[in-house]
Amino acid sequence: MIAAKLGAIFFSMILVNNYVLVKFLGICPFLGVSKQLSSAVGMAVAVTVVMAMATAVTWPLQQLLERFDLVYLQTIAFILVIAVLVQLLELFLKKFIPPLYVALGVYLPLITTNCAVLGVTILNIDEGYSYIESLVCAVGAGIGFLLAMVLFSGVRRRVEDANPPKCMEGLPITLIAAAITALSFTGFGGIVENIFGV
Amino acid sequence: MKAIIIASAVIAVIGLLGAVLLVAASKLFAVTEDERAKEVELVLPGANCGSCGYAGCAAYAKAITEGAPVNQCIAGGAAAAEKIAAIMGVEAGDATEYKAMVACRGDLSHTKKRYEYHGIPTCAACNVLYNGDSSCPFGCLGFGDCVKACKFDAIEIVDGIARVDPKKCTGCGACKTACPKRIIFMYEYKRKPKPIVMCSNHKKGVDTRRECTEGCIGCGKCVKNCPVNAITIHDNVARVDYDKCISCRKCVTNCPINCIIIPDRELVGAEET
């Protein structure tokens, strides 16, 4: 039963409640770094790591805040934690994976303000998930982000080859393509609940 | 009042913990940067073409400060190598200049179209459809994937095939990777240039002839005339062994199709004389 619930959370985060394509959080890196598959994957993995680490820290932090009646500090405390984690990741990448560090460029520190990361930590609390459920949800959200990035970088390469009309070149046609990709994800609605029977 | 103090204190404590963590991490993951790397990077062209074998100009600059040879930048050439040598205080050495050559002469008057192509206007896309619309399945398609890849604006499409302007070409090799037909070669650009076989059609002479009137038919006349045995016929196309070649130009004058050329004489020299 627990496994079914965790599975349902995990897969619904990837397909049904995809953060980028269904909830429209984290659009900035979605449009900014999806030009190349390699940097898109790098970005998505970085975001997944930050999401998982942030949830691992913010969930206990939330319990602490609730105990001392300081829930109104939730947003600022969470952002502080996320900022620290992103900085940590940046130092780590600079040391061990310099090409990825260069490829991600300004988008790496911008993970701090990626609303998908703050979104996943806060929505975990709002849904009333346990610690394990929150972690599964965070990793699922990250994988969902990865899926969206990989799919869209493929879409985008084709869009750029297709010579759209002058007025549509660049961001306009990209946004239209993103909208159609998002539309396709609505087709997954209800599928996970039925498979896992939750 | 009390609430404000508690709230501030909590945030300050979280911030402090984070700060301690980051300080520890920055000590642990410290990257030492050589100041000369920045200077070297300014000398490099900054196109991040990757022909030096490193990820980009910044990566190569960093490698130089760690002892990599200073003459690896093909785009910057001898000038850049000298400047870098001055910064690093070492000898520049010889930087060989390379230029790109599209080894195909099958322009619109020498080849035909096999079908009308209305798809995505790139060589890569057209190539997927029965090896492209040109009658020669090995030749240049002329949609300009190399033109788009060139960061130095050195390639243009003339009569349906790509032509490289050796004056603008820096030899970075970006076009070589972009070409789906793999017919762009890098040749050594120097006083006595060596001949280039301007065809890659691996079919037999008769079939080549049917597809393109400028293609190498593998007749072997160049092989017989070469005084140092530097030319072989490989898959019905002449190949020049540049280690043996002495630039005597006998193959050029003897080729019945004129598909062996000396780059300077045909392109650069023609403009200068």
Side-chain angles (χ1 to χ4, degrees):
Chain A
M1 190 58 213
I2 296 169
K5 196 175 181 204
L6 290 181
I9 291 173
F10 184 71
F11 286 106
S12 83
M13 286 318 285
I14 295 175
L15 295 175
V16 184
N17 293 323
N18 190 299
Y19 263 65
V20 179
L21 294 173
V22 178
K23 292 192 175 169
F24 301 114
L25 295 170
I27 296 294
C28 163
F30 179 63
L31 295 177
V33 205
S34 60
K35 263 188 185 162
Q36 275 182 339
L37 184 62
S38 54
S39 54
V41 171
M43 182 73 188
V45 171
V47 167
T48 310
V49 171
V50 173
M51 276 179 174
M53 288 189 347
T55 307
V57 178
T58 52
W59 198 87
L61 186 66
Q62 172 72 16
Q63 308 306 314
L64 219 64
L65 291 179
E66 272 173 19
R67 202 160 152 201
F68 293 105
D69 266 343
L70 292 167
V71 183
Y72 60 90
L73 287 178
Q74 190 194 46
T75 311
I76 188 168
F78 281 16
I79 286 185
L80 204 57
V81 168
I82 293 168
V84 168
L85 289 174
V86 170
Q87 273 300 308
L88 202 64
L89 190 74
E90 197 176 341
L91 288 169
F92 179 81
L93 286 184
K94 199 173 179 185
K95 171 86 177 176
F96 294 106
I97 322 175
L100 186 59
Y101 175 78
V102 176
L104 293 179
V106 71
Y107 289 100
L108 187 56
L110 276 182
I111 299 177
T112 311
T113 52
N114 186 339
C115 46
V117 179
L118 184 65
V120 79
T121 53
I122 289 182
L123 288 178
N124 274 336
I125 307 290
D126 288 354
E127 294 276 339
Y129 285 153
S130 70
Y131 192 53
I132 300 294
E133 284 170 346
S134 299
L135 282 178
V136 169
C137 176
V139 174
I143 305 282
F145 188 74
L146 176 74
L147 179 73
M149 290 288 274
V150 169
L151 284 180
F152 197 59
S153 71
V155 170
R156 203 157 167 186
R157 222 190 65 208
R158 278 163 180 262
V159 165
E160 287 194 357
D161 277 346
N163 260 7
K166 194 85 193 155
C167 60
M168 285 291 190
E169 259 173 29
L171 210 51
I173 194 75
T174 311
L175 283 170
I176 292 173
I180 296 171
T181 318
L183 199 63
S184 70
F185 263 69
T186 57
F188 289 117
I191 192 171
V192 172
E193 284 81 353
N194 282 322
I195 288 174
F196 287 91
V198 186
Chain B
M1 190 61 203
K2 199 182 159 201
I4 296 176
I5 293 171
I6 290 174
S8 317
V10 167
I11 295 299
V13 167
I14 296 174
L16 205 65
L17 284 176
V20 171
L21 188 70
L22 282 182
V23 167
S26 69
K27 284 272 186 291
L28 198 65
F29 299 144
V31 182
T32 44
E33 274 176 9
D34 198 324
E35 279 179 16
R36 291 178 300 181
K38 277 268 174 299
E39 287 178 50
V40 173
E41 203 187 326
L42 288 177
V43 174
L44 294 169
N48 294 321
C49 65
S51 58
C52 51
Y54 295 91
C57 291
Y60 178 47
K62 194 165 161 278
I64 289 175
T65 58
E66 285 160 9
V70 295
N71 56 7
Q72 296 296 299
C73 181
I74 292 168
E82 259 171 47
K83 280 186 204 155
I84 298 167
I87 295 170
M88 297 300 297
V90 291
E91 290 287 315
D94 284 330
T96 320
E97 243 187 292
Y98 285 91
K99 303 281 174 191
M101 172 66 81
V102 184
C104 177
R105 279 156 65 87
D107 56 20
L108 289 176
S109 55
H110 297 110
T111 54
K112 292 180 212 72
K113 295 281 171 207
R114 283 190 290 161
Y115 57 85
E116 261 184 59
Y117 180 73
H118 290 293
I120 300 166
T122 65
C123 306
C126 184
N127 190 31
V128 174
L129 200 64
Y130 307 109
N131 289 322
D133 60 354
S134 166
S135 57
C136 172
F138 301 93
C140 177
L141 294 170
F143 289 100
D145 283 15
C146 49
V147 178
K148 276 172 229 152
C150 184
K151 287 170 184 143
F152 302 96
D153 198 22
I155 312 182
E156 56 176 344
I157 304 292
V158 185
D159 280 342
I161 50 173
R163 281 286 161 255
V164 183
D165 181 351
K167 281 184 190 138
K168 286 185 191 164
C169 178
T170 59
C172 72
C175 49
K176 191 181 163 185
T177 359
C179 178
K181 294 288 191 189
R182 299 276 176 272
I183 53 166
I184 302 184
F185 294 96
M186 312 306 297
Y187 62 93
E188 283 182 26
Y189 186 73
K190 49 188 181 183
R191 268 267 174 73
K192 275 181 93 180
K194 301 200 165 162
I196 297 174
V197 181
M198 295 290 277
C199 179
S200 310
N201 193 315
H202 293 298
K203 292 190 183 171
K204 281 186 181 154
V206 188
D207 299 327
T208 306
R209 200 74 192 149
R210 229 173 265 147
E211 283 164 358
C212 173
T213 47
E214 294 282 287
C216 174
I217 52 171
C219 65
K221 237 182 144 184
C222 46
V223 180
K224 280 172 210 143
N225 281 296
C226 182
V228 289
N229 294 325
I231 308 182
T232 47
I233 302 286
H234 198 273
D235 280 345
N236 299 310
V237 174
R239 284 252 176 95
V240 185
D241 184 343
Y242 290 121
D243 292 332
K244 287 185 192 162
C245 176
I246 51 166
S247 311
C248 70
R249 301 181 179 218
K250 278 202 176 120
C251 50
V252 179
T253 45
N254 277 300
C255 180
I257 316 283
N258 295 323
C259 76
I260 303 184
I261 64 155
I262 295 279
D264 269 20
R265 204 156 143 198
E266 301 276 323
L267 293 164
V268 192
E271 282 167 35
E272 280 167 5
T273 46

